[in-house]
Amino acid sequence: MYIMKLKPALKDNIWGGTRLKTEYKMQTDLDIVAEAWTLSCHKDGPNTVENGEYAGQIFHDVVENAGREKIAGTKAAAYPDFPLLIKMIDAKDDLSIQVHPDDEYARVHEHEFGKTEMWYVIDAQPGASLIYGFKDKISKEEFKAAIENNTLPEVLNSVPVKKGDVFFIEAGTVHAIGKGVFIAEIQQNSNSTYRVYDYGRLGKDGKPRELHVQKALDTAKTEPPKYPTTAQGSPENVPGGQKTLLRSCELFTVYHCALNGAMAFTADEASFVNVLVLDGSGQIGDMDFQKGDSFFVPANFGKFEVNGQAELIVTTM
């Protein structure tokens, strides 16, 4: 197995912008690119391998044909599907207020994983904010009334954001990315989203977008968030730059790496490594990279170096 460069799956959701096309040079005929799915085996947006013997093949097929434990690691082998999905999200406008189910609910109602996720704020316009849980704990009846009365934003926790902020969003947390926020999202491999408020917007068909009120009532935790909006760890100086633990949980471990030279990593038998380039340029293995590139390093690959001047998000299980 070798280090695979992955071609992203691009989404033109109505709230998206153009930075992924203009600044990150992602090739597409879409006018809007709201999301780039940069590590994905999901049926709604799988990656394609761009290099080597698997060039042109769907990444999901490569993983399954090789064997999930062999290519993704022993931790991934414990799941019924490839467990993670990573995105870059460009919010030119507010996203809908929404909530994601946990594994138990999603398995029954959506036939896939639930969705716990983490956001790293790559960039944010001055004054930008997002919604993260509730201001105060309320009852499900009060939550339902706020939805029906169009007063939901009034009871939610609006948080100003800046580059470098970190949000850990467990399944059941009501949330929404605000306009002017550009993020990297590390999440479970799921596309189950329950909208509860959408600012009266119309979809591409000219009709109001569907809401999922009952499912949101079933799954939402109507309480303030439990986690601070900062990295879990402190910056650590290492050969080749600086590493900061953003979040470690039973699902994923994510580092931010400020690369200034050659930094060493290891993909062992437990997990693959994903390297997402947020800024800068350099080399990984024998390949050059630029901002927006995503690389999958298979489990058991062993030690490898990333060299250059760059900002990276590095994810393992």
Side-chain angles (χ1 to χ4, degrees), residues 131-218:
I131 289 170
Y132 184 41
F134 287 77
K135 292 178 182 175
D136 302 292
K137 185 176 178 61
I138 65 172
S139 68
K140 287 293 182 83
E141 291 74 20
E142 291 171 312
F143 180 35
K144 184 173 185 290
I147 296 169
E148 293 173 343
N149 298 332
N150 288 319
T151 58
L152 183 59
E154 298 173 17
V155 300
L156 294 173
N157 179 40
S158 180
V159 183
V161 295
K162 65 184 184 304
K163 175 179 171 58
D165 285 347
V166 179
F167 293 82
F168 183 56
I169 303 167
E170 290 182 320
T173 304
V174 176
H175 62 277
I177 302 171
K179 63 182 177 181
V181 181
F182 191 76
I183 71 167
E185 176 176 289
I186 291 80
Q187 60 160 91
Q188 288 180 271
N189 183 15
S190 172
N191 200 26
S192 294
T193 297
Y194 303 147
R195 289 192 204 101
V196 291
Y197 188 87
D198 198 34
Y199 309 96
R201 282 186 295 208
L202 303 180
K204 296 175 184 177
D205 59 1
K207 300 177 182 179
R209 297 202 298 168
E210 182 183 6
L211 300 181
H212 314 92
V213 174
Q214 187 55 57
K215 288 182 175 180
L217 290 170
D218 290 344

Coordinates of all heavy atoms in Angstrom, one line a residue, residues 131-218:
I131 N -23.9 28.9 16.0 CA -24.8 28.5 17.1 C -24.2 27.1 17.7 O -24.0 26.2 16.9 CB -26.2 28.3 16.6 CG1 -26.8 29.7 16.3 CG2 -27.1 27.6 17.6 CD1 -28.1 29.7 15.6
Y132 N -24.2 27.1 19.0 CA -23.6 25.9 19.7 C -24.4 25.7 20.9 O -24.1 26.2 22.0 CB -22.1 26.2 20.0 CG -21.3 25.1 20.6 CD1 -21.4 23.8 20.2 CD2 -20.4 25.4 21.6 CE1 -20.7 22.8 20.7 CE2 -19.6 24.4 22.2 CZ -19.8 23.1 21.7 OH -19.0 22.1 22.3
G133 N -25.4 24.8 20.8 CA -26.2 24.5 22.0 C -27.2 25.6 22.4 O -27.4 26.5 21.6
F134 N -27.7 25.4 23.6 CA -28.7 26.4 24.1 C -28.1 27.3 25.1 O -27.1 27.0 25.8 CB -29.8 25.6 24.8 CG -30.7 24.9 23.8 CD1 -30.4 23.7 23.2 CD2 -32.0 25.4 23.5 CE1 -31.2 23.1 22.3 CE2 -32.8 24.8 22.6 CZ -32.4 23.6 22.0
K135 N -28.7 28.5 25.3 CA -28.2 29.4 26.3 C -28.4 28.8 27.7 O -27.5 28.9 28.6 CB -29.0 30.7 26.3 CG -28.7 31.6 25.0 CD -29.6 32.8 25.0 CE -29.4 33.7 23.8 NZ -30.3 34.8 23.7
D136 N -29.6 28.2 27.9 CA -30.0 27.6 29.2 C -30.7 26.3 28.9 O -31.2 26.1 27.8 CB -30.9 28.5 30.0 CG -30.3 29.9 30.3 OD1 -29.3 30.0 31.1 OD2 -30.8 30.9 29.7
K137 N -30.7 25.4 29.9 CA -31.4 24.2 29.8 C -32.9 24.5 29.7 O -33.4 25.2 30.5 CB -31.1 23.3 30.9 CG -31.7 21.9 30.8 CD -31.3 21.0 32.0 CE -32.0 19.6 31.9 NZ -31.6 18.9 30.6
I138 N -33.6 23.9 28.7 CA -35.0 24.0 28.5 C -35.6 22.6 28.3 O -34.9 21.6 28.1 CB -35.4 25.0 27.4 CG1 -35.0 24.3 26.0 CG2 -34.8 26.3 27.6 CD1 -35.5 25.1 24.8
S139 N -37.0 22.6 28.4 CA -37.7 21.3 28.2 C -37.9 21.0 26.8 O -37.8 21.9 25.9 CB -39.0 21.3 29.0 OG -39.9 22.3 28.3
K140 N -38.2 19.8 26.4 CA -38.5 19.5 25.0 C -39.8 20.2 24.6 O -39.9 20.6 23.4 CB -38.7 17.9 24.9 CG -37.4 17.1 24.9 CD -36.5 17.4 23.8 CE -35.2 16.6 23.8 NZ -35.4 15.3 23.3
E141 N -40.7 20.4 25.5 CA -41.9 21.2 25.2 C -41.6 22.6 24.8 O -42.2 23.2 23.9 CB -42.9 21.1 26.4 CG -43.5 19.8 26.6 CD -42.5 18.8 27.3 OE1 -41.5 19.2 27.9 OE2 -42.8 17.6 27.2
E142 N -40.7 23.2 25.6 CA -40.2 24.6 25.3 C -39.5 24.7 23.9 O -39.6 25.6 23.2 CB -39.4 25.1 26.4 CG -40.1 25.4 27.7 CD -39.2 25.7 28.9 OE1 -38.2 25.0 29.1 OE2 -39.5 26.7 29.6
F143 N -38.7 23.6 23.7 CA -38.0 23.5 22.4 C -39.0 23.5 21.2 O -38.9 24.2 20.2 CB -37.1 22.3 22.4 CG -36.3 22.0 21.2 CD1 -35.8 23.1 20.4 CD2 -36.0 20.7 20.8 CE1 -35.0 22.8 19.3 CE2 -35.3 20.5 19.6 CZ -34.8 21.5 18.9
K144 N -40.0 22.6 21.4 CA -41.0 22.5 20.3 C -41.8 23.8 20.1 O -42.0 24.2 19.0 CB -42.0 21.4 20.7 CG -43.1 21.1 19.7 CD -43.9 19.9 20.1 CE -44.9 19.4 19.1 NZ -46.0 20.4 18.9
A145 N -42.1 24.5 21.2 CA -42.8 25.8 21.1 C -42.0 26.8 20.4 O -42.5 27.6 19.6 CB -43.2 26.3 22.5
A146 N -40.7 26.9 20.7 CA -39.8 27.8 20.0 C -39.7 27.6 18.5 O -39.6 28.5 17.7 CB -38.4 27.8 20.7
I147 N -39.7 26.3 18.1 CA -39.7 26.0 16.7 C -41.0 26.5 16.1 O -41.0 27.1 15.0 CB -39.5 24.5 16.5 CG1 -38.2 24.0 17.0 CG2 -39.7 24.1 15.0 CD1 -38.0 22.5 17.1
E148 N -42.1 26.2 16.7 CA -43.4 26.5 16.1 C -43.7 28.0 16.1 O -44.3 28.5 15.2 CB -44.5 25.8 16.9 CG -44.5 24.3 16.8 CD -45.5 23.6 17.7 OE1 -45.9 24.3 18.7 OE2 -45.8 22.4 17.5
N149 N -43.1 28.7 17.1 CA -43.3 30.2 17.1 C -42.2 31.0 16.4 O -42.2 32.2 16.5 CB -43.3 30.6 18.6 CG -44.5 30.0 19.4 OD1 -45.5 29.7 18.8 ND2 -44.3 29.8 20.7
N150 N -41.3 30.3 15.7 CA -40.2 30.9 15.0 C -39.3 31.8 15.9 O -38.8 32.8 15.6 CB -40.7 31.8 13.9 CG -41.2 30.9 12.7 OD1 -40.5 29.9 12.4 ND2 -42.3 31.3 12.1
T151 N -39.2 31.3 17.2 CA -38.3 32.1 18.1 C -37.1 31.2 18.6 O -36.4 31.6 19.5 CB -39.1 32.4 19.4 OG1 -39.7 31.2 20.0 CG2 -40.3 33.4 19.1
L152 N -36.8 30.2 17.8 CA -35.7 29.3 18.2 C -34.4 30.0 18.4 O -33.7 29.8 19.4 CB -35.6 28.1 17.2 CG -34.6 27.1 17.5 CD1 -34.8 26.4 18.9 CD2 -34.5 26.0 16.4
P153 N -34.0 30.9 17.5 CA -32.7 31.5 17.6 C -32.6 32.3 19.0 O -31.4 32.4 19.5 CB -32.6 32.5 16.5 CG -33.5 31.9 15.4 CD -34.6 31.3 16.2
E154 N -33.6 32.7 19.6 CA -33.6 33.5 20.8 C -33.2 32.6 22.0 O -32.7 33.2 23.0 CB -35.0 34.1 21.1 CG -35.4 35.1 20.0 CD -36.8 35.6 20.2 OE1 -37.4 35.4 21.3 OE2 -37.4 36.1 19.3
V155 N -33.4 31.3 21.9 CA -33.0 30.5 23.1 C -31.7 29.7 22.9 O -31.2 29.0 23.7 CB -34.1 29.5 23.4 CG1 -35.4 30.2 23.8 CG2 -34.4 28.5 22.3
L156 N -31.1 29.9 21.7 CA -29.8 29.2 21.4 C -28.6 30.1 21.7 O -28.6 31.3 21.8 CB -29.8 28.8 19.9 CG -30.9 27.8 19.5 CD1 -30.9 27.6 18.0 CD2 -30.7 26.5 20.2
N157 N -27.5 29.4 21.9 CA -26.2 29.9 22.3 C -25.4 30.4 21.1 O -24.9 29.5 20.3 CB -25.4 28.9 23.1 CG -24.1 29.4 23.6 OD1 -24.0 30.5 24.0 ND2 -23.1 28.5 23.5
S158 N -25.4 31.7 20.8 CA -24.6 32.2 19.7 C -23.2 32.6 20.1 O -23.1 33.3 21.1 CB -25.3 33.5 19.1 OG -24.6 34.0 18.0
V159 N -22.2 32.1 19.4 CA -20.8 32.2 19.9 C -20.0 33.0 18.8 O -19.9 32.5 17.6 CB -20.2 30.9 20.1 CG1 -18.7 31.0 20.7 CG2 -21.0 30.0 21.1
P160 N -19.4 34.1 19.1 CA -18.5 34.7 18.1 C -17.3 33.8 17.9 O -16.8 33.1 18.8 CB -18.0 36.0 18.8 CG -18.3 35.8 20.3 CD -19.4 34.8 20.4
V161 N -16.8 33.8 16.6 CA -15.7 32.8 16.3 C -14.5 33.6 15.6 O -14.7 34.6 15.0 CB -16.2 31.7 15.4 CG1 -17.2 30.8 16.1 CG2 -16.8 32.2 14.1
K162 N -13.4 32.9 15.7 CA -12.2 33.4 15.1 C -11.3 32.2 14.7 O -11.6 31.1 15.1 CB -11.4 34.3 16.1 CG -10.9 33.6 17.3 CD -10.2 34.5 18.3 CE -9.6 33.7 19.4 NZ -10.6 32.9 20.2
K163 N -10.3 32.5 13.8 CA -9.4 31.4 13.4 C -8.8 30.7 14.6 O -8.4 31.3 15.5 CB -8.3 32.0 12.5 CG -7.3 31.0 12.1 CD -6.2 31.6 11.2 CE -5.1 30.7 10.9 NZ -5.5 29.4 10.3
G164 N -8.8 29.4 14.5 CA -8.2 28.6 15.5 C -9.2 28.0 16.6 O -8.8 27.2 17.4
D165 N -10.4 28.5 16.6 CA -11.4 28.0 17.5 C -11.7 26.5 17.2 O -11.7 26.1 16.0 CB -12.7 28.8 17.5 CG -12.5 30.2 18.2 OD1 -11.5 30.4 18.9 OD2 -13.4 31.0 18.0
V166 N -12.1 25.8 18.2 CA -12.4 24.4 18.1 C -13.7 24.1 18.8 O -13.9 24.5 19.9 CB -11.3 23.5 18.7 CG1 -11.6 22.0 18.6 CG2 -9.9 23.8 18.1
F167 N -14.6 23.4 18.1 CA -15.9 23.1 18.6 C -16.1 21.5 18.5 O -16.0 21.0 17.4 CB -17.0 23.7 17.8 CG -17.1 25.2 17.9 CD1 -16.2 26.0 17.2 CD2 -17.9 25.8 18.8 CE1 -16.2 27.4 17.3 CE2 -18.0 27.2 19.0 CZ -17.1 28.0 18.2
F168 N -16.4 20.9 19.7 CA -16.6 19.5 19.7 C -18.1 19.3 19.9 O -18.7 19.8 20.9 CB -15.9 18.8 20.9 CG -16.1 17.3 20.9 CD1 -15.8 16.5 19.8 CD2 -16.6 16.7 22.1 CE1 -15.9 15.2 19.9 CE2 -16.8 15.4 22.1 CZ -16.4 14.6 21.0
I169 N -18.8 18.8 18.9 CA -20.2 18.7 18.8 C -20.7 17.3 18.8 O -20.7 16.6 17.8 CB -20.7 19.4 17.5 CG1 -20.2 20.8 17.4 CG2 -22.2 19.4 17.4 CD1 -20.3 21.5 16.1
E170 N -21.0 16.9 20.0 CA -21.6 15.5 20.2 C -22.9 15.4 19.5 O -23.7 16.4 19.4 CB -21.7 15.2 21.7 CG -20.3 15.0 22.4 CD -20.5 14.6 23.8 OE1 -21.4 15.1 24.5 OE2 -19.7 13.7 24.3
A171 N -23.2 14.2 19.1 CA -24.6 13.9 18.5 C -25.6 14.4 19.5 O -25.5 14.2 20.7 CB -24.8 12.4 18.3
G172 N -26.7 15.1 19.0 CA -27.7 15.6 19.9 C -27.5 17.1 20.2 O -28.4 17.7 20.8
T173 N -26.4 17.7 19.8 CA -26.1 19.1 20.1 C -26.7 19.9 19.0 O -26.4 19.8 17.8 CB -24.6 19.4 20.2 OG1 -24.0 18.6 21.2 CG2 -24.4 20.9 20.5
V174 N -27.6 20.9 19.3 CA -28.2 21.8 18.3 C -27.1 22.8 17.9 O -26.5 23.4 18.7 CB -29.5 22.5 18.8 CG1 -30.0 23.4 17.8 CG2 -30.5 21.4 19.1
H175 N -27.0 23.0 16.6 CA -25.9 23.9 16.1 C -26.2 24.4 14.7 O -27.1 24.0 14.0 CB -24.6 23.0 16.1 CG -24.7 21.9 15.1 ND1 -25.2 20.7 15.5 CD2 -24.3 21.7 13.8 CE1 -25.2 19.8 14.4 NE2 -24.6 20.5 13.4
A176 N -25.4 25.4 14.3 CA -25.4 25.9 13.0 C -24.2 26.8 12.7 O -23.8 27.6 13.5 CB -26.6 26.8 12.8
I177 N -23.5 26.5 11.6 CA -22.4 27.4 11.2 C -23.0 28.7 10.6 O -23.9 28.7 9.9 CB -21.6 26.7 10.1 CG1 -21.1 25.3 10.6 CG2 -20.4 27.5 9.6 CD1 -20.5 24.4 9.5
G178 N -22.4 29.8 11.0 CA -22.8 31.1 10.6 C -22.1 31.6 9.3 O -21.0 31.1 9.0
K179 N -22.7 32.6 8.7 CA -22.1 33.1 7.5 C -20.7 33.7 7.8 O -20.5 34.3 8.8 CB -23.0 34.1 6.8 CG -23.3 35.4 7.7 CD -24.3 36.3 6.9 CE -24.7 37.5 7.8 NZ -25.7 38.3 7.1
G180 N -19.9 33.6 6.8 CA -18.5 34.1 7.0 C -17.6 33.2 7.7 O -16.4 33.6 8.0
V181 N -18.0 31.9 8.0 CA -17.1 31.0 8.7 C -16.7 29.9 7.8 O -17.4 29.3 7.0 CB -17.9 30.4 9.9 CG1 -17.0 29.4 10.7 CG2 -18.4 31.5 10.8
F182 N -15.4 29.6 7.8 CA -14.8 28.6 7.0 C -14.1 27.6 7.9 O -13.2 27.9 8.7 CB -13.7 29.3 6.1 CG -13.2 28.5 5.0 CD1 -13.9 28.2 3.8 CD2 -11.9 27.9 5.1 CE1 -13.4 27.4 2.8 CE2 -11.4 27.2 4.0 CZ -12.1 26.9 2.9
I183 N -14.5 26.3 7.8 CA -14.1 25.3 8.8 C -13.6 24.0 8.1 O -13.9 23.7 7.0 CB -15.2 25.0 9.8 CG1 -16.3 24.1 9.1 CG2 -15.8 26.2 10.4 CD1 -17.3 23.5 10.1
A184 N -12.8 23.3 8.9 CA -12.5 21.9 8.6 C -13.4 21.1 9.6 O -13.4 21.4 10.8 CB -11.1 21.6 8.8
E185 N -14.1 20.1 9.1 CA -15.0 19.3 9.9 C -14.5 17.8 9.9 O -14.4 17.2 8.8 CB -16.4 19.4 9.4 CG -17.4 18.5 10.2 CD -18.8 18.7 9.7 OE1 -19.4 19.8 10.0 OE2 -19.4 17.8 9.0
I186 N -14.3 17.3 11.1 CA -14.0 15.8 11.2 C -15.2 15.2 11.9 O -15.6 15.6 13.0 CB -12.7 15.6 12.1 CG1 -11.5 16.1 11.3 CG2 -12.5 14.1 12.4 CD1 -11.2 17.6 11.3
Q187 N -15.8 14.2 11.3 CA -17.0 13.6 11.8 C -17.1 12.1 11.5 O -16.3 11.6 10.8 CB -18.2 14.3 11.0 CG -18.1 14.1 9.5 CD -19.4 14.4 8.8 OE1 -19.7 15.4 8.4 NE2 -20.2 13.3 8.7
Q188 N -18.1 11.5 12.2 CA -18.5 10.2 11.8 C -19.0 10.1 10.4 O -19.5 11.1 9.8 CB -19.6 9.7 12.7 CG -19.1 9.4 14.2 CD -20.3 8.9 15.0 OE1 -21.0 9.6 15.6 NE2 -20.4 7.5 15.1
N189 N -18.9 9.0 9.8 CA -19.2 8.8 8.4 C -20.7 8.7 8.2 O -21.3 7.6 8.1 CB -18.6 7.5 7.9 CG -18.8 7.3 6.4 OD1 -19.3 8.2 5.7 ND2 -18.6 6.1 5.9
S190 N -21.4 9.9 8.3 CA -22.8 9.9 8.3 C -23.3 11.2 7.5 O -22.6 12.2 7.5 CB -23.3 10.0 9.7 OG -24.7 10.2 9.8
N191 N -24.5 11.1 6.9 CA -25.0 12.3 6.3 C -26.4 12.6 6.8 O -27.3 13.1 6.1 CB -25.1 12.1 4.8 CG -25.2 13.4 4.0 OD1 -24.8 14.5 4.5 ND2 -25.7 13.4 2.8
S192 N -26.7 12.2 8.1 CA -28.0 12.3 8.7 C -28.1 13.7 9.4 O -27.4 13.9 10.4 CB -28.3 11.2 9.7 OG -28.4 10.0 9.0
T193 N -28.9 14.6 8.9 CA -29.1 15.9 9.5 C -30.5 16.2 9.6 O -31.3 16.1 8.6 CB -28.4 16.9 8.6 OG1 -27.0 16.7 8.5 CG2 -28.6 18.4 9.1
Y194 N -30.9 16.7 10.8 CA -32.3 17.1 11.0 C -32.4 18.6 11.2 O -31.9 19.2 12.2 CB -32.9 16.4 12.3 CG -32.8 14.9 12.2 CD1 -32.5 14.2 13.4 CD2 -32.9 14.2 11.0 CE1 -32.4 12.8 13.4 CE2 -32.8 12.8 11.0 CZ -32.6 12.1 12.2 OH -32.5 10.7 12.1
R195 N -33.0 19.3 10.2 CA -33.2 20.7 10.2 C -34.4 21.1 11.1 O -35.4 20.4 11.0 CB -33.5 21.3 8.8 CG -32.3 21.3 7.9 CD -32.7 22.1 6.6 NE -31.9 21.7 5.5 CZ -32.4 21.0 4.5 NH1 -33.6 20.6 4.5 NH2 -31.6 20.6 3.5
V196 N -34.2 22.1 11.9 CA -35.4 22.6 12.7 C -35.7 24.1 12.4 O -36.8 24.5 12.8 CB -35.1 22.4 14.2 CG1 -35.1 21.0 14.6 CG2 -33.8 23.1 14.6
Y197 N -34.8 24.8 11.7 CA -35.0 26.2 11.4 C -34.2 26.6 10.2 O -33.0 26.3 10.2 CB -34.7 27.1 12.7 CG -35.1 28.5 12.6 CD1 -36.3 28.9 13.0 CD2 -34.2 29.5 12.1 CE1 -36.7 30.3 12.9 CE2 -34.5 30.8 12.1 CZ -35.8 31.2 12.4 OH -36.1 32.5 12.4
D198 N -34.8 27.3 9.3 CA -34.0 27.6 8.0 C -34.2 29.0 7.5 O -34.1 29.2 6.3 CB -34.4 26.5 6.9 CG -33.4 26.5 5.8 OD1 -32.2 26.7 6.1 OD2 -33.8 26.3 4.7
Y199 N -34.6 29.9 8.4 CA -34.7 31.3 8.1 C -35.7 31.6 6.9 O -35.6 32.6 6.3 CB -33.3 31.9 7.7 CG -32.3 31.5 8.8 CD1 -31.4 30.5 8.6 CD2 -32.1 32.3 9.9 CE1 -30.5 30.1 9.6 CE2 -31.2 32.0 10.9 CZ -30.4 30.9 10.7 OH -29.4 30.6 11.7
G200 N -36.6 30.7 6.7 CA -37.6 30.9 5.6 C -37.1 30.8 4.2 O -37.7 31.2 3.3
R201 N -35.9 30.2 4.1 CA -35.3 30.1 2.7 C -36.0 29.1 1.8 O -36.6 28.2 2.3 CB -33.8 29.7 2.9 CG -32.9 30.8 3.3 CD -31.5 30.3 3.2 NE -31.2 29.3 4.2 CZ -30.0 29.1 4.8 NH1 -29.0 29.8 4.4 NH2 -29.8 28.1 5.7
L202 N -35.8 29.3 0.5 CA -36.3 28.4 -0.5 C -35.2 27.6 -1.0 O -34.0 28.1 -1.2 CB -37.0 29.2 -1.6 CG -38.2 30.1 -1.2 CD1 -38.7 30.8 -2.4 CD2 -39.2 29.3 -0.5
G203 N -35.4 26.4 -1.4 CA -34.4 25.5 -2.0 C -34.3 25.8 -3.5 O -34.9 26.7 -4.0
K204 N -33.5 24.9 -4.1 CA -33.3 25.1 -5.6 C -34.6 24.9 -6.4 O -34.7 25.4 -7.5 CB -32.3 24.1 -6.1 CG -30.9 24.2 -5.5 CD -30.0 23.1 -5.9 CE -28.6 23.2 -5.2 NZ -27.7 22.1 -5.6
D205 N -35.6 24.2 -5.8 CA -36.8 24.0 -6.5 C -37.8 25.1 -6.2 O -39.0 25.1 -6.6 CB -37.5 22.7 -6.1 CG -37.7 22.6 -4.5 OD1 -37.4 23.6 -3.8 OD2 -38.2 21.5 -4.1
G206 N -37.4 26.2 -5.5 CA -38.3 27.3 -5.2 C -39.2 27.1 -4.1 O -40.1 27.9 -3.8
K207 N -39.1 26.0 -3.4 CA -40.0 25.6 -2.2 C -39.2 25.7 -0.9 O -38.0 25.5 -0.9 CB -40.6 24.2 -2.4 CG -41.4 24.1 -3.7 CD -41.9 22.7 -3.8 CE -42.8 22.5 -5.1 NZ -43.2 21.1 -5.3
P208 N -39.9 25.9 0.2 CA -39.1 25.9 1.5 C -38.5 24.5 1.7 O -39.0 23.5 1.3 CB -40.3 26.1 2.5 CG -41.3 26.8 1.8 CD -41.3 26.3 0.4
R209 N -37.3 24.5 2.2 CA -36.5 23.3 2.4 C -37.2 22.5 3.6 O -37.7 23.1 4.5 CB -35.1 23.6 2.7 CG -34.4 24.2 1.6 CD -32.9 24.0 1.6 NE -32.2 24.6 2.8 CZ -31.0 24.4 3.2 NH1 -30.2 23.6 2.5 NH2 -30.5 25.0 4.3
E210 N -37.1 21.2 3.5 CA -37.8 20.3 4.4 C -37.2 20.5 5.8 O -36.0 20.6 6.0 CB -37.7 18.9 4.0 CG -38.4 17.9 4.9 CD -38.1 16.4 4.5 OE1 -37.4 16.2 3.5 OE2 -38.8 15.5 5.1
L211 N -38.1 20.5 6.8 CA -37.7 20.5 8.2 C -38.0 19.1 8.7 O -38.8 18.3 8.2 CB -38.4 21.5 9.0 CG -38.2 23.0 8.6 CD1 -39.0 23.9 9.5 CD2 -36.8 23.4 8.6
H212 N -37.3 18.7 9.8 CA -37.4 17.4 10.4 C -37.6 17.5 11.9 O -36.8 17.1 12.7 CB -36.1 16.6 10.2 CG -35.6 16.7 8.8 ND1 -34.7 17.7 8.4 CD2 -35.9 16.0 7.6 CE1 -34.4 17.5 7.1 NE2 -35.1 16.5 6.6
V213 N -38.8 18.2 12.2 CA -39.0 18.6 13.6 C -39.1 17.4 14.6 O -38.5 17.4 15.6 CB -40.3 19.5 13.7 CG1 -40.6 19.8 15.1 CG2 -40.0 20.8 12.8
Q214 N -39.9 16.4 14.2 CA -40.1 15.3 15.2 C -38.8 14.6 15.4 O -38.5 14.2 16.6 CB -41.2 14.3 14.7 CG -41.5 13.2 15.7 CD -42.0 13.8 17.0 OE1 -42.9 14.6 17.1 NE2 -41.3 13.5 18.1
K215 N -38.0 14.3 14.4 CA -36.7 13.6 14.6 C -35.8 14.5 15.5 O -35.0 14.0 16.3 CB -36.1 13.3 13.3 CG -36.8 12.1 12.6 CD -36.1 11.8 11.3 CE -36.8 10.5 10.6 NZ -36.1 10.2 9.4
A216 N -35.8 15.8 15.2 CA -35.0 16.7 16.1 C -35.5 16.7 17.5 O -34.6 16.7 18.4 CB -35.1 18.1 15.5
L217 N -36.8 16.7 17.7 CA -37.3 16.6 19.1 C -36.9 15.3 19.8 O -36.6 15.2 21.0 CB -38.8 16.7 19.1 CG -39.4 18.1 18.8 CD1 -40.9 18.0 18.6 CD2 -39.0 19.1 19.9
D218 N -36.8 14.2 19.0 CA -36.4 12.9 19.5 C -34.9 12.9 19.9 O -34.6 12.2 20.9 CB -36.6 11.8 18.4 CG -38.0 11.5 18.1 OD1 -38.9 11.9 18.9 OD2 -38.3 10.9 17.1

